[in-house]
Amino acid sequence: MQRYIARRLLQAIPTLFGITLVSYIVILLAPGDPVSLLTFDPTIRQDERERLAIQLGVNDPFPIQYLRWLIGDDWMMVDTNADGQADAWGDNYGILRLDFGTSFKFRGSSPLKLISERLAASIELNIAVLLIGTSTGILIGILAAAYRGRFFDRFSRIFAVLGDAMPVFWLGLLAIIFFGIILPRWLEPQGIGDGRPLLPMGGRCPPVRGGCPPIYARLHYLILPALVSSLGPIAGWSRFVRASMLETINSDYIRTAHAKGLSKRGVWIRHGLRNAVIPLAVFLGPLMFSLLGGAVIIERVFTWPGVGLLLFDAVVSYDYPVIMASVVIFSVLAILGYLAADILYALLDPRVRF
Amino acid sequence: MSQKCLSITALVLLLLALPIAAQEWEEGPGPGLGGIVIQSNTGGDPATFNPLISSDADSSNIWGWLYPAIIGVSPFTGLEEPNLDGAMAASWSYDETGTVLTVNLRQDIAWNDGTPITSADYMWAVEATRSGQIDSPRAGIFQTMDDGTPAGGKIVSIEAPDDYTVVVTFSEADCISFSDVNDVTPVPAHIFSQLYGEDLSAMMDDPRHIPTVSFGAFKDIEFAAGERVSLLADQAYPDSTLGYVSPSELVTLQVADENVATERFIGGEFSILAVPSPRQNDFKTDPELLEFPRFEFTGNGFTFFGMNHANPDNPQPGIDEDGNVIPQEPHPVLGDKLVRQAISHAVDIDALIEGIRDGNGVKVATHTIPTSWVFNPELQYEYNPELAMEKLTQAGWIDHDDDPDTPRICEDCLFAREVDAEYNGSEMTIDLHVPAGSDIGEQMGVFFQAEMNKVGFNAIFEAIDWGSAFIPELVGQTFDMNMLGWSLGLPVDPDISAFYYPEVDVPGSGFNFGSYYSAELIELNDQARVVPGCATEDRAAIYERVQEILFEDMPYFYMYVSESMTAIQPGIANWNPTPFSRTYSIDAWISPELATP
Amino acid sequence: MSKSKLFEVRPFSKRGSSDGFRPSLNLWQKALRRIRHDRPTMVAFTILGMFAVIAFMAPFLSDVVFQVDPVTQDLRNNYQPLFSPGHVLGTDELGRDHLSRLLYGGQISLGIAILGAFLSLGIGIAVGVFAGYYGGVVDDLIMWLVTTLNSIPGLPLLIIITAILSPSPLTLVFIFAVLGWTGTTRLVRAETYSIKEREFVVSARAIGASNLRIMFVHIVPNVFSLLIISLSQAMGGLILAESALSFLGFGVRPPTATWGNMLNGALDYARRAPHLVFLPGLLITVTVFCLYLIGDGLRDAFDPKIAD
C-alpha cells in the first residue's frame, strides 16, 4: 500500500510540471503585456515603464522567465536598474517555494493570502453541495431503480435532468427574485411574513460587525446557493446510482443471494447498495476539488466570497500572479483529489490488488 | 491686481447655495440610534485603506470617510470652497505673481484621539508622496521628486511656516493647478510617523493596515474579504450635521452582479442604490418601484468615439526631443475633417439616447458637460444622412454604384492626394471597437455600424477585450474609432492640455490618442490658463472660441453625458442628494431597519 | 459472435458495453428497439430534430416566411411586445426582430455545440487510438498531457482562455474542442489497449493490414457505442457553457446573436420586456434538456447489463 501511494506521488510530479508549463504558456500568449496594463496612467513616464518591465523580467527569453517564476531568482544576479547589467540578487523564491509574487491589483498582498482568505467560504459551499447532491441523488437513484419503469422513475428522471438543463445563472437570479421579492410580497397580504425576503438574496454572512457567526447560525445564507448548485450533482448522482443498482441486482451473485432465500430488501441493501456505492467514492475526491474552481457562476450570482469569484475578479483585472496561483493551487488540489480517490477505491474494493 | 479670484467666486457660489444648505433637518432619535446604512459595491474589494498609496475608487470610497481633505469641494456647487465640513482650509489667497498660494487652516478640528489636525499632517503626506519610496499615483503633481528626478508636475514646493498655514509654490501661474493641492490627503502624522517613519516603503507591504486614528463621520474599519467593509459611527466628529452622527454603522456590501444588486435593493437589503443605467427606466415607470424615492442628475462623465487623425500604420509622437511639433501622416479615412463631420451627420444620436439610454442622456458636441460654465447648448451635431453623403462626396469618397449600402471608394480623397496616390480606389473602411463586456457599449457599437454603413462606410464593429486589446491599440495609436467613457473629476475645468496637446501625443502612453493637433486651439488654451485673476467669465470668453473650433474640427465624436439615478429606501429621513454628492448628509440619516433575515 | 461477458472490473470506464468484440448487430438492434420504447427519449429526439431543422432553415424562415432580418435596427420601436405587427416575437433593445435573432442565434448556438462536440470527439478518438495502439513513449507523452489538462479545473481555464482570445463562434468551437478531448481519449485508449490483442485484430495484422487501417477500421467502430452516449451529453454541456461564458462577459461577442448572449443581455430588461429573457432561456433549457434525456436514454439502451 505504501509503495502504491509513493508510486502515485512520484507520478504526480510530471503532471505538476505540466500544469505550471501550461498555465505559464496560456498567460504568455495573452496579447498586451502586464507592463502597459499596470501603467495605464499618463503620469507614468516611459523610463519608469522600462524599469518596471525589467523588474518584472518580461523582456527575458521565455525559458528564463519561466524558470524565474518556477524556482525563483534569489540564486542569480538580476538587472534591477535597467542598465543591461545584472547588479543585484533576485528576491523571488519561485512558486516551488510557494512564492507566487504579489498581486497586481491588491498591491502588497500575496496571492496565497488572498486565496486563503476565500478558501473557507468555498469549502463551506462545496461541502453543502456535496451533502445535498449525493444524499438526494443517491436516494432518488435507489428509488428510481426500485420502481423502475414506474411513475417515480420517469418523473425523477425528467425532473433531475430539467434542473440540470437550465443555465445556472438564470436559475439563480430567478431564485433570488422569487424568494426575495415575489413570494414574500405575495404572502404578506395573506398575513404571512412582513414582505421582507424569505431567504437572504446573497452573501455568506449577515452584514453585522464582529465577524461571521458560526455556520449553524447562518445556514439560511447557504440554502439558495447550495440548492441551485446541487441540481447538477443530483441529476448526475441519481442517474449513476440508478444504473449501478440495476446493473448490480441483475448480476449473478445477487441472483445467488436471492436463491439462497435472503429477503428482497436485505439483498438490495446488503449487496446491491454496497456495490453500487463503491464507484461513487471514486468521484468524490475529484468532484470535491473541481467544485472549488468551478463554482465561479454560483459565487458570482450569490456573491459567495469564494475562490472562484477571486479568480474571476483576477481575470477581469489581469491580475496574473493571482490567476496563476489559483490555477496551480486548484490543479494541485485536483491531483490530490484523484490520488485520494484512487487510494479510497483500492481500500474499498477488495477486487483491486496492488 | 488682487488674485483672490477663487475665494471670491467660491463666496458668490456659496451665497447662491445657502438656501439649499440651510434646509431643515429632521431630529433623529439620537447619536448612533439612526439605524444601519447598507450600500452595495459591485467594483470589488478595496485594495488599500491607506490614502497615500491608493489609486482605485473601491478604496477611496472607504478611506474617504476617515480622512479630511485639505481643501473641501462643496456638495452643492462642485467647486472648492473654504470652511467646508470635513475639510481643513479656512481661507486661501495667491500672491501678486499668482504662483504662491497660501492656505490658512481651521484651528477647530482634531483627530478622534484628540490630537489637533495641523499643517504637519498634510506635510507628512506631502513628503511621503514626494519621497519616491512609495508607489503613489499622485507623485506626478510635483515638478521634481525629493531625489531630484523630474516628475513633470507644476508644484515646486509645499511648506508649512506654522501649524495652521500651508504655502504652495507653483512653477507657473495658471488656473488649473489649484486642484492638485487636493490630490494629497492629510494623514495623522503622529500615528503614521510611528508606523512608517523609519521606512516609508513599509506601507506597500501592509496596504490594508486599519487606521486607529481618523477624522470623519465613521471610523473603525472592519473588513471581510469578498464580503463587506463595515464602519462605525464616530461621535467625536466635530462637523456632523445634527451635532452627532445618527446612523450607528455604514456597511458596504460586495455584490458581484449589478442586476443582483438592484434586485437586492428592491427586496430591501440595501439602503441606497446607484441605479445601473439599463434599470433606470424600471424605477421611473414600474408601479412596483415607484415607492422608492429617487434622485436624477446629470453626471460628469461623457461617452464618445475617439477618432484617430493620424495614420494608424505609422504612429508618431506629437513632438520631437526639442519640443517641435512633428507633422503626421493623416489617417486614410478619418484624417479628413469632412469625413469626421459626415459621421456626425450620419448617426442619429437622439435616437441613440432615446433607444439605448432610455432617454437618460444629454447630447453634447464637445468635451464640456452641461453643468460646466462653458457649456454651449447651441453646439449640436445635426442628424442629416443626406448632408453626410454630400460631405463624403466632397471629400473624394465616391458612391460609384449609386447604392448607399455598398462602401464608397476613394477618388482623390485626402490620403490619396497627400500621401499615396495608389490609395485611390480603396474602400472607406473603419474599424469600430468598443470594450467587451459593456452591454450598452456593445449596443452602441452595433448601432454606429448600422448608421455609418447606411451612408457608405464599411464600418467593421467588434467588441474587444479591454486590457489585452482595446487599451493597447488605443494607447498605441493603431485604432480607427474606439468608444470611450470619460469621467471628469471635481471641480470640472474645460482645460484641454491633458488630452489635445502634442506633448501628450506619445504612442504607448499619453492621452492624445488620436494625435489631434490645432495650433490655434493650443494658443487659445494657453491664454485661458493664465488669465489674470482666473475669473470664470474671462476664461469663458476664450473657451467660447475653443468650443467652436472643436465643434468644427470634431476631434472626437462626443455623444452624450449620462444622466445618473440614485434610489433610496422609502422612509430614510434627511437624505439630501445633490448632483455632486448623494451621501454628504449621511451622518444625519435616520434609517428604518433593513431587511436582514 | 459470442455474448459479452457480464463482469469486468475497470475502475475508470466501467460503463463499457463493448469489451473487445466486433459490435454485434444484436447490440445496435437491441438498443434501437429499446429506444423506440423509451417515450421520453423519442419525444426529445423529435423536438431536437425540429429545432435543428428550424435553425438550419433560419435564413429561409426569417427572410422569406416572416420577412424580417436580425440586423435592421429601429431604436424608436424597441421593446415591442409579443405579437406586434410585423414582429411576431416583438423587438429587442435595439428594435431588431426578436424572432429572427432567435432563429439565427439558434443556428450559432447549436452549431457551436455540434461542431465543438464532434471536433473534441474526433481529436479524442484519434489521440486515444494512437496512444493505445502504439503504447510506449507516445502513450506516456499523451497520457502526461491528458493528466495535466485533466488536473487543471476546466471552467477557470476556459474563462482565462476566452478572456484572452475574445472568441468568435468558430474560435469558441476550437477552444471547447481543445479543452474537451481528454475524457474521450482516456476511454478510447483503454478500449484500444484491450482490443488490439484480440483475435480479429491480430489476424487483420497477419494478413497485412496497415496500422491506420487497423486503427480506424477495426478498432474505432468497436468503441463507437461508448462515444455516442457521451456525444449528446457533451453538446448539452457546450450550450450551457456558451451561455455561462456570456454571463461572465467572455462569450460570443455581439452583434452575433447566440441564445446565450441574448439571454444574458436581456437580464437587464427583464422587468420591461420579460419575453426577451424567457424565450432564449426556454430554448436553451429545452434543447439541453432534450440532449441530456437522449444521452440518458442512449446509455440505458446500450447498456447490456441492464436487462429488459
Side-chain angles (χ1 to χ4, degrees), chain B residues 419-431:
Chain B
V419 183
D420 182 3
E422 285 189 15
Y423 189 70
N424 276 319
S426 304
E427 286 190 352
M428 191 166 59
T429 302
I430 290 283
D431 280 332

Side-chain angles (χ1 to χ4, degrees), chain A residues 21-295:
Chain A
L21 202 62
V22 168
S23 49
Y24 203 84
I25 289 172
V26 165
I27 297 292
L28 208 72
L29 288 179
D33 64 311
V35 178
S36 59
L37 288 169
L38 274 176
T39 58
F40 182 55
D41 180 345
T43 60
I44 294 180
R45 294 189 316 274
Q46 195 56 34
D47 55 325
E48 286 178 52
R49 279 197 180 83
E50 279 156 19
R51 203 169 64 205
L52 187 68
I54 283 165
Q55 279 167 1
L56 289 175
V58 294
N59 294 339
D60 292 338
F62 165 70
I64 306 268
Q65 281 190 50
Y66 173 68
L67 278 180
R68 280 177 76 174
W69 176 69
L70 193 67
I71 57 177
D73 56 11
D74 56 332
W75 46 272
M76 64 185 253
M77 300 289 277
V78 292
D79 180 11
T80 53
N81 55 3
D83 58 358
Q85 299 288 318
D87 47 49
W89 293 103
D91 53 4
N92 300 317
Y93 295 112
I95 63 161
L96 288 184
R97 284 177 283 168
L98 294 180
D99 177 4
F100 287 94
T102 42
S103 160
F104 286 173
K105 186 180 177 200
F106 302 111
R107 289 177 294 179
S109 302
S110 82
L112 274 187
K113 179 170 167 275
L114 294 171
I115 292 172
S116 63
E117 282 175 345
R118 305 293 192 96
L119 214 50
S122 280
I123 292 174
E124 231 171 75
L125 181 61
N126 285 319
I127 289 181
V129 172
L130 272 183
L131 286 180
I132 299 174
T134 37
S135 57
T136 319
I138 291 175
L139 193 68
I140 293 177
I142 293 171
L143 292 176
Y147 299 104
R148 180 167 187 220
R150 310 256 285 277
F151 173 75
F152 183 84
D153 186 23
R154 278 189 237 142
F155 176 80
S156 71
R157 170 184 178 189
I158 287 178
F159 213 72
V161 175
L162 188 64
D164 201 20
M166 257 180 111
V168 76
F169 63 93
W170 187 38
L171 188 62
L173 195 62
L174 287 179
I176 290 175
I177 296 174
F178 183 74
F179 288 103
I181 301 172
I182 296 176
L183 192 58
R185 291 199 181 175
W186 181 76
L187 285 175
E188 195 184 7
Q190 338 272 326
I192 307 169
D194 54 1
R196 293 178 181 199
L198 295 177
L199 288 168
M201 299 169 78
R204 173 181 173 236
C205 307
V208 291
R209 278 182 83 88
C212 215
I215 182 149
Y216 56 82
R218 52 182 170 81
L219 278 178
H220 50 306
Y221 279 84
L222 204 52
I223 294 175
L224 283 185
L227 278 184
V228 171
S229 39
S230 294
L231 290 175
I234 289 177
W237 286 127
S238 61
R239 301 310 294 162
F240 184 86
V241 170
R242 177 182 175 274
S244 312
M245 285 297 288
L246 289 178
E247 196 175 299
T248 318
I249 56 179
N250 286 326
S251 62
D252 293 341
Y253 71 96
I254 295 281
R255 290 203 195 105
T256 316
H258 277 301
K260 283 198 308 196
L262 282 170
S263 78
K264 192 175 179 190
R265 181 166 303 187
V267 173
W268 268 65
I269 293 176
R270 288 251 303 278
H271 297 283
L273 184 58
R274 229 187 83 202
N275 276 312
V277 170
I278 285 176
L280 294 186
V282 187
F283 294 122
L284 267 180
L287 187 72
M288 173 81 204
F289 291 107
S290 71
L291 279 175
L292 271 185

Side-chain angles (χ1 to χ4, degrees), chain B residues 341-523:
Chain B
Q341 289 173 350
I343 297 174
S344 79
H345 300 308
V347 184
D348 188 351
I349 296 296
D350 287 319
L352 181 148
I353 293 173
E354 202 50 51
I356 298 178
R357 296 310 310 265
D358 293 326
N360 299 314
V362 180
K363 195 172 159 185
V364 294
T366 69
H367 69 289
T368 53
I369 59 174
T371 43
S372 158
W373 41 267
V374 286
F375 183 67
N376 180 356
E378 278 167 24
L379 297 181
Q380 296 258 339
Y381 298 132
E382 179 197 359
Y383 172 58
N384 185 345
E386 293 300 319
L387 183 61
M389 291 192 264
E390 219 170 273
K391 284 195 171 173
L392 288 175
T393 309
Q394 199 185 333
W397 290 99
I398 309 302
D399 185 7
H400 56 99
D401 55 2
D402 279 330
D403 176 1
D405 286 339
T406 55
R408 286 164 178 260
I409 280 180
C410 170
E411 266 177 37
D412 204 29
C413 63
L414 181 79
F415 195 77
R417 276 199 313 272
E418 291 190 358
V419 183
D420 182 3
E422 285 189 15
Y423 189 70
N424 276 319
S426 304
E427 286 190 352
M428 191 166 59
T429 302
I430 290 283
D431 280 332
L432 212 55
H433 289 169
V434 307
S438 138
D439 291 344
I440 283 182
E442 285 165 356
Q443 290 162 18
M444 287 203 287
V446 173
F447 179 66
F448 255 73
Q449 179 185 34
E451 293 279 89
M452 284 171 68
N453 287 355
K454 274 187 220 161
V455 299
F457 280 89
N458 175 27
I460 303 165
F461 162 66
E462 204 185 338
I464 59 176
D465 187 62
W466 169 260
S468 61
F470 189 90
I471 287 300
E473 73 170 19
L474 181 78
V475 180
Q477 306 189 354
T478 58
F479 69 106
D480 292 339
M481 277 178 81
N482 276 20
M483 194 201 76
L484 281 167
W486 199 270
S487 212
L488 300 169
L490 294 177
V492 171
D493 197 278
D495 180 73
I496 56 161
S497 60
F499 43 86
Y500 284 150
Y501 272 37
E503 285 83 354
V504 287
D505 174 8
V506 188
S509 64
F511 277 175
N512 191 357
F513 321 111
S515 304
Y516 170 57
Y517 175 70
S518 156
E520 188 190 358
L521 192 73
I522 287 164
E523 202 186 310

